[in-house]
Amino acid sequence: MTPPTPTARFLQAAVRFRLPDSWILDYSAVVIQSYSEPPVCDPENLDSILEWLCAHNYTRWVPPNPAARARGFILRPGNPKPPDWLIEAASRLNEEAGGFYTWTDEGWRNAVEMVNKSRQPSLRYRHLYNTLAHWAYENSPPGLPAELPDFFETDGWWFLGAPMTWAEIFEAVLFLEREGFLRAVGVLSSRGRLWLTDLGIIFVQSEKDLRTFMADRTPQGNSFNTTHNTVNIHGNTNNSNIASGSHNSQAITHGVDAHSLAQLVSQLRQIAPSLDLPVDDAQDLAQEINALEREGVEPGRGRRIWRRIARIVTPALTSAVAAGSEQAVQTAITAGSQMFG
């Protein structure tokens, strides 16, 4: 069972601040961290969090015991003998607090597994794709957009107790906009706004995971009505790409406008120095821009290259803002999204 968000945030800190060679849950260290920014947990929720952990076999309450008994709760098979200071600290904690909490073997495994999952990019983005769409649906007044800064105050900002980043938020919004689930304005500023499209509303109301929803959708290609009429062509039609007859259908492939592509490539090259990228990322970006210039007129290839470019540029948005080139970066990203969205 996935812990509630306050409990998951507590577990993240508890794993990080575990006492060396000890199975004692040092919740006092977690409470101290609660005064950081953003807070780890609300101290007022501590009792309910500890009750949840005990009820789900993450921890065990150890009632008051002599120091000799306390030693047994610190040791676990395969652990080295704890130092004397730890035994003394455990005994003192036991006496002062009237007992203490220890991890169970299963609880510790589950907590560590949760922390590891919270760091996996694929799972983090999957969480955001679903959460952002539902949040926008629930927080859009009639005729008005959802205010993206308000998302920071919700449980959706946290994935298994780990906070999201604005770079991840931006990339998730870019994906949802590109796939037609929402429209976004001013995402790079402090007043980003989101509107769900009709497709986004249908997705939310389906109550499906986004990946399942997209997999279940019938591919929507360009459709062309076949008309059983005679078409008279005046002039020479030699070497023309025209299908004739009463039962023919013709697919038309629209390429990317070469002039617009050249403008986008120029914009990307202009903003690249302001992103302050590491050497490897800067080289990768230059290579991808060159690839876009060569192959971008083919929509499928251009779309794949653009997505790689977006993944490099997005984490560097903070540097762009600091360099005063935020507007130029946003213009380039908007142009690329419209071209290959």
Side-chain angles (χ1 to χ4, degrees):
M1 179 179 182
T2 302
T5 296
T7 304
R9 292 169 60 182
F10 177 91
L11 284 172
Q12 288 273 350
V15 170
R16 188 162 66 249
F17 297 113
R18 177 184 172 186
L19 292 171
D21 303 325
S22 171
W23 284 75
I24 293 177
L25 173 60
D26 187 10
Y27 59 84
S28 60
V30 179
V31 172
I32 291 173
Q33 291 299 314
S34 297
Y35 298 100
S36 63
E37 182 64 36
V40 173
C41 76
D42 186 343
E44 294 182 358
N45 294 334
L46 182 60
D47 287 342
S48 61
I49 290 172
L50 293 172
E51 288 177 6
W52 190 96
L53 293 175
C54 284
H56 293 81
N57 198 35
Y58 277 75
T59 59
R60 181 183 301 110
W61 169 250
V62 181
N65 290 283
R69 291 278 315 271
R71 180 190 304 266
F73 288 99
I74 301 173
L75 291 172
R76 283 291 191 279
N79 278 7
K81 177 182 180 299
D84 291 339
W85 69 264
L86 184 55
I87 298 295
E88 294 174 3
S91 300
R92 184 170 61 255
L93 178 64
N94 184 274
E95 294 173 2
E96 293 176 356
F100 54 77
Y101 291 89
T102 66
W103 294 99
T104 65
D105 294 336
E106 178 185 2
W108 176 253
R109 286 196 303 270
N110 289 340
V112 171
E113 181 182 1
M114 184 200 75
V115 171
N116 291 336
K117 282 185 175 181
S118 73
R119 298 170 179 169
Q120 295 182 26
S122 61
L123 297 179
R124 291 173 65 84
Y125 280 112
R126 182 177 179 181
H127 162 80
L128 273 180
Y129 297 154
N130 287 281
T131 303
L132 275 171
H134 282 80
W135 172 82
Y137 178 80
E138 295 167 359
N139 291 273
S140 301
L144 297 175
E147 301 289 338
L148 189 57
D150 294 343
F151 184 71
F152 175 78
E153 303 295 335
T154 70
D155 283 351
W157 178 264
W158 302 87
F159 174 58
L160 297 178
M164 309 306 299
T165 66
W166 280 113
E168 290 173 320
I169 298 293
F170 174 77
E171 189 163 353
V173 169
L174 189 67
F175 172 84
L176 291 170
E177 185 175 33
R178 184 169 60 238
E179 297 297 329
F181 291 96
L182 56 75
R183 292 190 300 110
V185 173
V187 178
L188 296 183
S189 70
S190 59
R191 292 186 58 82
R193 291 169 291 173
L194 306 180
W195 287 265
L196 277 186
T197 62
D198 291 344
L199 178 62
I201 293 173
I202 293 172
F203 156 62
V204 171
Q205 293 179 345
S206 74
E207 299 184 354
K208 294 180 180 179
D209 176 84
L210 182 63
R211 185 168 60 180
T212 303
F213 177 83
M214 294 180 70
D216 290 346
R217 288 179 63 204
T218 302
Q220 299 292 325
N222 289 334
S223 60
F224 300 88
N225 293 327
T226 301
T227 305
H228 302 284
N229 293 324
T230 301
V231 180
N232 296 317
I233 307 293
H234 298 280
N236 186 2
T237 60
N238 291 335
N239 300 320
S240 297
N241 186 22
I242 298 176
S244 61
S246 61
H247 297 285
N248 285 312
S249 61
Q250 184 168 356
I252 302 173
T253 301
H254 298 280
V256 174
D257 179 71
H259 178 69
S260 299
L261 177 63
Q263 286 185 322
L264 175 60
V265 168
S266 176
Q267 289 174 317
L268 290 171
R269 285 177 174 152
Q270 289 176 5
I271 67 172
S274 68
L275 299 177
D276 194 25
L277 294 169
V279 175
D280 291 344
D281 288 348
Q283 292 175 349
D284 290 344
L285 178 59
Q287 292 175 359
E288 296 295 354
I289 293 174
N290 291 339
L292 187 67
E293 185 176 34
R294 293 191 310 268
E295 307 174 29
V297 290
E298 198 285 309
R301 293 181 182 177
R303 188 176 298 109
R304 289 191 292 272
I305 296 170
W306 171 250
R307 289 177 179 177
R308 293 197 294 268
I309 290 174
R311 291 191 187 101
I312 297 173
V313 172
T314 299
L317 293 176
T318 302
S319 300
V321 173
S325 57
E326 175 188 1
Q327 185 60 46
V329 175
Q330 185 171 5
T331 300
I333 290 175
T334 300
S337 299
Q338 292 175 346
M339 191 176 301
F340 299 108

